[in-house]
Short mmCIF file of all heavy atoms in Angstrom, two decimals:
data_model
loop_
_atom_site.label_atom_id
_atom_site.label_comp_id
_atom_site.label_asym_id
_atom_site.label_seq_id
_atom_site.Cartn_x
_atom_site.Cartn_y
_atom_site.Cartn_z
N LEU A 209 -16.05 -58.33 -6.28
CA LEU A 209 -14.60 -58.51 -6.14
C LEU A 209 -14.00 -59.06 -7.43
O LEU A 209 -14.48 -60.05 -7.98
CB LEU A 209 -14.31 -59.47 -4.97
CG LEU A 209 -12.83 -59.85 -4.79
CD1 LEU A 209 -11.99 -58.63 -4.40
CD2 LEU A 209 -12.68 -60.95 -3.74
N ALA A 210 -12.95 -58.41 -7.91
CA ALA A 210 -12.28 -58.90 -9.12
C ALA A 210 -11.69 -60.28 -8.83
O ALA A 210 -11.04 -60.48 -7.80
CB ALA A 210 -11.17 -57.93 -9.50
N SER A 212 -9.24 -63.22 -8.70
CA SER A 212 -7.77 -63.24 -8.65
C SER A 212 -7.34 -64.51 -7.94
O SER A 212 -7.99 -64.95 -6.98
CB SER A 212 -7.27 -62.02 -7.87
OG SER A 212 -5.93 -62.20 -7.50
N SER A 213 -6.24 -65.08 -8.41
CA SER A 213 -5.71 -66.27 -7.74
C SER A 213 -5.38 -65.93 -6.28
O SER A 213 -5.47 -66.77 -5.39
CB SER A 213 -4.46 -66.76 -8.45
OG SER A 213 -4.71 -66.92 -9.82
N ARG A 214 -5.00 -64.68 -6.05
CA ARG A 214 -4.59 -64.27 -4.70
C ARG A 214 -5.78 -64.12 -3.74
O ARG A 214 -5.57 -63.98 -2.53
CB ARG A 214 -3.79 -62.97 -4.76
CG ARG A 214 -2.40 -63.18 -5.38
CD ARG A 214 -1.55 -61.92 -5.28
NE ARG A 214 -0.16 -62.18 -5.58
CZ ARG A 214 0.45 -61.89 -6.74
NH1 ARG A 214 -0.22 -61.33 -7.72
NH2 ARG A 214 1.72 -62.16 -6.91
N ASN A 215 -7.02 -64.14 -4.24
CA ASN A 215 -8.17 -64.09 -3.33
C ASN A 215 -8.16 -65.30 -2.40
O ASN A 215 -8.76 -65.27 -1.32
CB ASN A 215 -9.49 -64.05 -4.11
CG ASN A 215 -9.65 -62.74 -4.87
OD1 ASN A 215 -8.90 -61.79 -4.64
ND2 ASN A 215 -10.62 -62.70 -5.77
N ALA A 216 -7.47 -66.36 -2.81
CA ALA A 216 -7.37 -67.58 -1.98
C ALA A 216 -6.66 -67.29 -0.65
O ALA A 216 -6.80 -68.05 0.31
CB ALA A 216 -6.62 -68.66 -2.75
N TYR A 217 -5.91 -66.20 -0.57
CA TYR A 217 -5.20 -65.87 0.67
C TYR A 217 -6.13 -65.30 1.74
O TYR A 217 -5.75 -65.18 2.90
CB TYR A 217 -4.14 -64.78 0.41
CG TYR A 217 -3.00 -65.16 -0.51
CD1 TYR A 217 -2.39 -64.18 -1.29
CD2 TYR A 217 -2.52 -66.45 -0.59
CE1 TYR A 217 -1.33 -64.49 -2.13
CE2 TYR A 217 -1.46 -66.77 -1.42
CZ TYR A 217 -0.87 -65.78 -2.19
OH TYR A 217 0.18 -66.09 -3.02
N LEU A 218 -7.34 -64.86 1.33
CA LEU A 218 -8.20 -64.11 2.25
C LEU A 218 -8.96 -65.02 3.21
O LEU A 218 -9.47 -66.06 2.79
CB LEU A 218 -9.22 -63.28 1.45
CG LEU A 218 -8.65 -62.29 0.43
CD1 LEU A 218 -9.77 -61.70 -0.43
CD2 LEU A 218 -7.89 -61.17 1.14
N ASN A 219 -9.05 -64.62 4.48
CA ASN A 219 -9.96 -65.35 5.39
C ASN A 219 -11.37 -64.77 5.19
O ASN A 219 -11.58 -63.83 4.42
CB ASN A 219 -9.47 -65.29 6.84
CG ASN A 219 -9.52 -63.87 7.42
OD1 ASN A 219 -10.33 -63.05 6.98
ND2 ASN A 219 -8.67 -63.61 8.40
N GLU A 220 -12.32 -65.34 5.93
CA GLU A 220 -13.73 -65.00 5.68
C GLU A 220 -14.01 -63.50 5.87
O GLU A 220 -14.68 -62.87 5.06
CB GLU A 220 -14.59 -65.82 6.64
CG GLU A 220 -15.97 -66.07 6.12
CD GLU A 220 -16.75 -66.96 7.09
OE1 GLU A 220 -16.16 -67.96 7.57
OE2 GLU A 220 -17.90 -66.63 7.37
N LYS A 221 -13.44 -62.96 6.94
CA LYS A 221 -13.67 -61.54 7.25
C LYS A 221 -13.04 -60.65 6.16
O LYS A 221 -13.67 -59.70 5.68
CB LYS A 221 -13.06 -61.23 8.62
CG LYS A 221 -13.22 -59.82 9.09
CD LYS A 221 -12.88 -59.72 10.58
CE LYS A 221 -12.89 -58.28 11.05
NZ LYS A 221 -11.62 -57.60 10.82
N GLU A 222 -11.82 -61.00 5.80
CA GLU A 222 -11.12 -60.21 4.77
C GLU A 222 -11.84 -60.31 3.42
O GLU A 222 -11.96 -59.33 2.69
CB GLU A 222 -9.68 -60.70 4.61
CG GLU A 222 -8.80 -60.40 5.81
CD GLU A 222 -7.59 -61.33 5.94
OE1 GLU A 222 -7.44 -62.28 5.13
OE2 GLU A 222 -6.81 -61.12 6.88
N ARG A 223 -12.33 -61.51 3.13
CA ARG A 223 -13.03 -61.72 1.86
C ARG A 223 -14.27 -60.82 1.77
O ARG A 223 -14.57 -60.27 0.70
CB ARG A 223 -13.40 -63.21 1.72
CG ARG A 223 -14.29 -63.57 0.56
CD ARG A 223 -13.63 -63.25 -0.78
NE ARG A 223 -14.57 -63.38 -1.89
CZ ARG A 223 -15.46 -62.45 -2.23
NH1 ARG A 223 -15.54 -61.31 -1.56
NH2 ARG A 223 -16.26 -62.65 -3.25
N LYS A 224 -14.98 -60.69 2.92
CA LYS A 224 -16.18 -59.82 2.94
C LYS A 224 -15.78 -58.38 2.70
O LYS A 224 -16.41 -57.66 1.92
CB LYS A 224 -16.89 -59.94 4.29
CG LYS A 224 -17.89 -61.06 4.31
CD LYS A 224 -18.93 -60.87 5.40
CE LYS A 224 -19.74 -62.14 5.49
NZ LYS A 224 -19.69 -62.74 6.82
N GLU A 225 -14.73 -57.96 3.37
CA GLU A 225 -14.28 -56.55 3.22
C GLU A 225 -13.76 -56.30 1.80
O GLU A 225 -13.91 -55.20 1.27
CB GLU A 225 -13.16 -56.24 4.23
CG GLU A 225 -13.65 -56.18 5.66
CD GLU A 225 -12.54 -55.78 6.64
OE1 GLU A 225 -11.61 -55.07 6.21
OE2 GLU A 225 -12.62 -56.20 7.80
N ALA A 226 -13.17 -57.33 1.20
CA ALA A 226 -12.55 -57.17 -0.12
C ALA A 226 -13.58 -56.74 -1.18
O ALA A 226 -13.23 -56.04 -2.14
CB ALA A 226 -11.86 -58.46 -0.55
N ALA A 227 -14.83 -57.14 -0.98
CA ALA A 227 -15.88 -56.76 -1.95
C ALA A 227 -16.04 -55.25 -1.99
O ALA A 227 -16.52 -54.69 -2.98
CB ALA A 227 -17.19 -57.43 -1.57
N ILE A 229 -13.77 -53.09 -2.22
CA ILE A 229 -12.82 -52.43 -3.12
C ILE A 229 -13.59 -51.97 -4.37
O ILE A 229 -13.58 -50.80 -4.74
CB ILE A 229 -11.66 -53.37 -3.51
CG1 ILE A 229 -10.86 -53.76 -2.25
CG2 ILE A 229 -10.76 -52.71 -4.56
CD1 ILE A 229 -9.77 -54.79 -2.51
N ILE A 294 -4.58 -52.52 -2.49
CA ILE A 294 -4.85 -52.56 -1.05
C ILE A 294 -4.26 -53.85 -0.46
O ILE A 294 -4.49 -54.94 -1.00
CB ILE A 294 -6.37 -52.47 -0.80
CG1 ILE A 294 -6.84 -51.08 -1.25
CG2 ILE A 294 -6.73 -52.75 0.66
CD1 ILE A 294 -8.27 -50.76 -0.99
N PHE A 295 -3.49 -53.69 0.59
CA PHE A 295 -3.02 -54.87 1.33
C PHE A 295 -4.15 -55.32 2.23
O PHE A 295 -4.72 -54.52 2.99
CB PHE A 295 -1.80 -54.51 2.20
CG PHE A 295 -0.58 -54.14 1.41
CD1 PHE A 295 -0.20 -52.82 1.27
CD2 PHE A 295 0.18 -55.13 0.80
CE1 PHE A 295 0.95 -52.47 0.53
CE2 PHE A 295 1.33 -54.79 0.07
CZ PHE A 295 1.71 -53.47 -0.06
N LEU A 296 -4.48 -56.60 2.17
CA LEU A 296 -5.57 -57.13 3.01
C LEU A 296 -5.13 -58.53 3.46
O LEU A 296 -5.03 -59.44 2.63
CB LEU A 296 -6.86 -57.17 2.18
CG LEU A 296 -8.17 -57.46 2.91
CD1 LEU A 296 -8.40 -56.54 4.10
CD2 LEU A 296 -9.36 -57.35 1.95
N GLY A 297 -4.86 -58.67 4.75
CA GLY A 297 -4.32 -59.95 5.25
C GLY A 297 -3.03 -60.27 4.51
O GLY A 297 -2.14 -59.45 4.41
N LYS A 298 -2.98 -61.49 3.95
CA LYS A 298 -1.75 -61.90 3.26
C LYS A 298 -1.74 -61.48 1.80
O LYS A 298 -0.80 -61.76 1.06
CB LYS A 298 -1.62 -63.43 3.32
CG LYS A 298 -1.36 -63.98 4.71
CD LYS A 298 -0.93 -65.44 4.60
CE LYS A 298 -0.69 -66.07 5.96
NZ LYS A 298 -1.93 -66.29 6.73
N ALA A 299 -2.82 -60.83 1.37
CA ALA A 299 -2.94 -60.50 -0.05
C ALA A 299 -2.69 -59.02 -0.31
O ALA A 299 -2.88 -58.17 0.56
CB ALA A 299 -4.33 -60.88 -0.56
N ARG A 300 -2.25 -58.75 -1.51
CA ARG A 300 -2.24 -57.37 -2.01
C ARG A 300 -3.14 -57.40 -3.23
O ARG A 300 -2.85 -58.08 -4.21
CB ARG A 300 -0.82 -56.95 -2.38
CG ARG A 300 -0.71 -55.53 -2.95
CD ARG A 300 0.75 -55.21 -3.25
NE ARG A 300 0.92 -53.95 -3.96
CZ ARG A 300 0.71 -53.79 -5.28
NH1 ARG A 300 0.32 -54.80 -6.03
NH2 ARG A 300 0.90 -52.62 -5.84
N LEU A 301 -4.28 -56.70 -3.13
CA LEU A 301 -5.29 -56.78 -4.18
C LEU A 301 -5.29 -55.51 -5.01
O LEU A 301 -5.17 -54.40 -4.47
CB LEU A 301 -6.68 -56.98 -3.55
CG LEU A 301 -6.80 -58.21 -2.63
CD1 LEU A 301 -8.18 -58.25 -1.97
CD2 LEU A 301 -6.56 -59.50 -3.40
#
Side-chain angles (χ1 to χ4, degrees):
L209 175 65
S212 164
S213 308
R214 289 187 167 102
N215 292 348
Y217 296 150
L218 303 172
N219 66 27
E220 206 176 316
K221 180 166 174 275
E222 291 157 357
R223 172 62 189 81
K224 272 202 189 121
E225 289 184 28
I229 298 175
I294 294 185
F295 294 103
L296 190 53
K298 292 193 181 71
R300 178 179 173 281
L301 303 175

